Structure formats: C-alpha cells, structure tokens
Amino acid sequence: QSVLTQPPSVSGAPGQRVTMSCTGSSSNTGSYDVHWYQQLPGTAPKLLIYGDRNRPSGVPARFSGSKSGTSASLAITGLQAEDEAYYYCQSYDSSLSGWVFGGGTKLTVL
Amino acid sequence: EVHLVESGGGLVQPGGSLRLSCAASGFTFSSYEMNWVRQAPGKGLDWVSHISTSGVTRSYADSVKGRFTISRDNAKNFLYLQMNSLRAEDTAVYYCARGFGNFAYWGQGILVTVSS
C-alpha cells in the first residue's frame, strides 16, 4: 500500500491527451514538491517533472505537471507510442521522514 | 556526462549480508546528496536510504532501519549500501540515485536476490 495513490492504469490513442493523478496528504504532497518519473520497460526511472511543474532539459513540452492541494497531476498531450511506460509520482513525507513514491500508473497507447 | 554504476549484487541466503557499491563519474560527487531506491520484481519504486554530501546526515526507510547502512567515500567517488540480516522481501533491483528531493540521475540498477 503506497503512501501516494495513483491509478493503476490509463490509456489513450496516439495524438490524444491523457492525465494521471497522484493523491497524498498534508504530510507529503500537501506540503512538499511532487516529482514525476517515467520508467520504460527494463530501464531505470527517468526524471520527467520536478517541483510540481518543471521539466528537465530534454523532456518534451508534451509533458506537464500541476498540483492543487494534496493532489498532483501529470498530463501528456500528443500521445506517442514511445510514451507507453510506467509513471511514478514522488514526494517527501514529514511523518515518515523520508521520500515516498506512488504505486505507479501504467500508460497504454492504444 | 553523469554516470552511476552499481555493483555487488547477487544471490544471498536469508540472514546474510551484502555490500552494494555505486561508482559515480561525470560530476563533482562530493557536492551532491545521494540515495538508494529499490524495486521488487514487478512492483513499484521504494526509497531505501539517503546520505548528505558530507555523510554526516543519513536517513532510512522504516523497512530497513537497523539492518542497512549507507555510506560514501568522496575521495573515491563511491556510494555504498551495507545490507545485513537480509530477508526475502529485500529481493529487488537496487538503484543509486543522485539528488535531494528529486532524483535527477539514476544508475542502471543491480539485482539482489535473497533466497535459500
């Protein structure tokens, strides 16, 4: 049972827009930055969004992040086949004094 | 280019010990906080431990507290994870990751299997 709650799966057709959520509490997402990672099959995670809404250099503008209260969202526009992957959110938790991840969302491109 | 390369994984019996290493290159290692994150087979990501730049401040997930010890050698550009009293549930791919807050760079991971 992950501290941060993500939907197990989302799907969309090529070219469409999809969103996925990450819900926490006041001790984590409500007080600290949320970061998002993309994990392609058989590879290490890659930082996709940091500080709720910022993209590292090299990450396409099709990926965007937002946060309101204790919930964060990742949006992907212009869906491409290569976007099929697992997506994880992450934040700091003051109650646990450590970093926590969501359980991950599997994105399927139809 | 930032490079993180883990080593030291393998098969170990329950109750045994293992030391993981992470060789860092392409950046000033002593200037960055470091972490270990693991991923059990078919499961999600699980933060394990963090160490400050100097090595003075260390933190651990409750699941490994008292059994795992994180350390670093800034002169040699190495991060370590000493794992004792290993359990079946510690079986996972272990990643070293650079950063405090967000983990901007990750190694390729090393598999640790705890089984008799």
Side-chain angles (χ1 to χ4, degrees):
Chain A
Q1 194 82 352
S2 302
V3 173
L4 306 182
T5 301
Q6 296 183 250
S9 64
V10 298
S11 63
Q16 283 190 334
R17 177 180 186 268
V18 296
T19 63
M20 58 190 77
S21 61
C22 172
T23 304
S25 67
S26 58
S27 65
N28 42 67
T29 57
S31 300
Y32 299 92
D33 287 345
V34 175
H35 318 293
W36 292 89
Y37 300 86
Q38 177 193 59
Q39 187 175 34
L40 298 169
T43 69
K46 168 191 170 185
L47 180 65
L48 204 60
I49 297 288
Y50 68 94
D52 299 339
R53 59 180 59 248
N54 303 293
R55 283 178 289 106
S57 61
V59 173
R62 303 186 295 107
F63 296 90
S64 64
S66 63
K67 190 175 80 173
S68 177
T70 59
S71 290
S73 290
L74 174 70
I76 309 173
T77 58
L79 207 56
Q80 299 179 5
E82 57 261 37
D83 297 334
E84 191 160 285
Y86 278 91
Y87 293 83
Y88 295 92
C89 62
Q90 177 225 346
S91 187
Y92 182 80
D93 191 292
S94 56
S95 298
L96 299 173
S97 298
W99 284 270
V100 291
F101 287 92
T105 296
K106 179 175 173 52
L107 169 63
T108 300
V109 181
L110 302 170
Chain B
E1 186 185 356
V2 173
H3 253 90
L4 298 169
V5 180
E6 301 92 342
S7 60
L11 175 64
V12 61
Q13 291 189 337
S17 298
L18 212 54
R19 189 176 86 150
L20 303 183
S21 300
C22 171
S25 60
F27 65 101
T28 305
F29 179 69
S30 59
S31 296
Y32 290 89
E33 320 233 354
M34 297 294 296
N35 302 267
W36 289 98
V37 178
R38 68 184 179 183
Q39 186 170 34
K43 302 295 184 183
L45 301 172
D46 186 25
W47 171 78
V48 173
S49 183
H50 157 268
I51 189 167
S52 63
T53 54
S54 65
V56 169
T57 302
R58 312 176 194 202
S59 56
Y60 301 91
D62 286 344
S63 57
V64 306
K65 205 171 290 183
R67 300 188 299 123
F68 289 13
T69 301
I70 190 172
S71 62
R72 64 191 297 162
D73 186 331
N74 285 340
K76 295 182 179 177
N77 293 348
F78 268 86
L79 175 72
Y80 303 103
L81 186 67
Q82 177 67 43
M83 304 185 295
N84 299 330
S85 302
L86 283 161
R87 307 165 180 167
E89 54 265 37
D90 295 319
T91 294
V93 172
Y94 284 74
Y95 296 98
C96 63
R98 191 188 91 173
F100 181 84
N102 67 80
F103 304 153
Y105 293 94
W106 298 62
Q108 84 287 350
I110 191 79
L111 178 62
V112 172
T113 303
V114 184
S115 175
S116 55

